[in-house]
Amino acid sequence: GAEGRRSVKIGLTALSAMAAETATFPIDTTKTRLQLLRSSSESRPGAFRVAADICGSQGIPGLYRGLPPALLRHFFYTPMRILTYERLRLSVPGDSVAGRAIAGGLSGVVAQIVASPADLVKVRMQADSRLANLGQPSRYNGTLDALTKIIRYEGFTGLWGGVLPNVQRAFLVNMGELACYDQAKHLIVRNKVCEDNIYAHTLASIMSGLSATTLSCPADVVKTRMMNQSSGEGSNIMYRSSYDCLVKTVRHEGLSALWKGFFPTWARLGPWQFVFWVSYEKLRSLAGLSSF
């Protein structure tokens, strides 16, 4: 029945998202570290240099620091946004690109509010690898330790630190990703570029990765910086709000700083989209479900 199909979709979505997350996680760690660099006080190495530094000081496992909370996040986040979009899409008239874009954005907002604590822990643990490079002790010993300390020092609501820029980013990413993938695949199949197969899924996933990165990178930079600053443990608060972070970043580092980490963001979102959509469409087909 409908309930059974929904359960299968949730399982397949979570599985595809976890595969995509694991495959691209080292790039995400590199991107997070790049976004935390402030050009006024630190030199600006490239993505390859940052990744090499992490490997040099912590080995390959350093690139996967924060993977468990990232997988936990996708267990909730991706099934929720994909299924919400599929439901909202039914009320979009005809080929309305704007309607699909809003449906994609709203799906991301709902899912991100639920998954924000896991995202916060992931960002903090990735940022910790920078402390290790500087010879300082890590703030957290693992996912559970991070959750416990955040609640102890910042309160339960501290788990939703940076939720506003996170939600803004989720709206833009999902608007770019879901609507673009849906629309691109629709146009590819309708214009007979190819059938609704792996080639169509690959082309559409490349387009969605590029549009999602361009739209979301500024919000991603703000989100990463807001989430990394702790309000407890006597730390200095550099940014009072996401707007304050946006203004200070542009004022001190220039407008281009909002696209800091664009290459690793795209280098991650692109393959992430590819692994996710191709595996998800294939799993749906094997399970006897219709194409997305």
Side-chain angles (χ1 to χ4, degrees), residues 57-269:
S57 62
Q58 300 160 66
I60 300 294
L63 291 170
Y64 285 91
R65 187 171 175 82
L67 181 62
L71 295 180
L72 180 67
R73 171 182 178 256
H74 277 289
F75 191 76
F76 300 103
Y77 175 66
T78 299
M80 194 173 287
R81 70 192 177 95
I82 298 289
L83 269 66
T84 304
Y85 177 75
E86 281 200 86
R87 181 160 291 187
L88 290 175
R89 181 172 65 174
L90 298 173
S91 59
V92 174
D95 283 346
S96 170
V97 178
R100 286 181 180 179
I102 291 166
L106 290 176
S107 305
V109 167
V110 171
Q112 189 55 61
I113 289 169
V114 174
S116 205
D119 205 18
L120 178 79
V121 171
K122 180 200 82 168
V123 168
R124 295 270 184 97
M125 287 180 71
Q126 285 177 325
D128 259 9
S129 66
R130 180 159 154 264
L131 296 177
N133 272 13
L134 298 170
Q136 296 170 16
S138 295
R139 288 179 291 184
Y140 312 113
N141 297 321
T143 308
L144 199 60
D145 182 53
L147 282 167
T148 308
K149 282 180 178 170
I150 291 165
I151 292 169
R152 184 189 303 150
Y153 294 115
E154 302 168 52
F156 187 70
T157 54
L159 290 172
W160 276 266
V163 72
L164 187 62
N166 219 352
V167 161
Q168 291 161 350
R169 175 187 175 273
F171 184 90
L172 295 167
V173 165
N174 285 281
M175 186 168 78
E177 179 197 332
L178 298 176
C180 182
Y181 178 83
D182 198 9
Q183 189 73 12
K185 192 179 83 163
H186 186 72
L187 290 172
I188 288 163
V189 174
R190 195 176 67 185
N191 293 320
K192 297 185 169 57
V193 176
C194 56
E195 297 293 314
D196 189 353
N197 56 23
I198 190 168
Y199 301 112
H201 305 156
T202 300
L203 279 172
S205 71
I206 290 167
M207 292 179 204
S208 79
L210 202 53
S211 68
T213 307
T214 306
L215 280 169
S216 69
C217 206
D220 198 30
V221 170
V222 172
K223 178 212 85 156
T224 300
R225 291 185 174 192
M226 289 291 291
M227 289 183 115
N228 185 51
Q229 63 176 12
S230 316
S231 62
E233 306 169 81
S235 53
N236 294 319
I237 297 299
M238 184 168 290
Y239 311 114
R240 293 189 308 277
S241 65
S242 54
Y243 177 72
D244 183 49
C245 179
L246 183 76
V247 171
K248 283 180 178 171
T249 300
V250 173
R251 184 187 297 147
H252 299 303
E253 302 168 54
L255 193 64
S256 62
L258 294 176
W259 278 271
K260 201 175 260 190
F262 179 88
F263 173 70
T265 302
W266 178 66
R268 178 183 187 246
L269 260 180

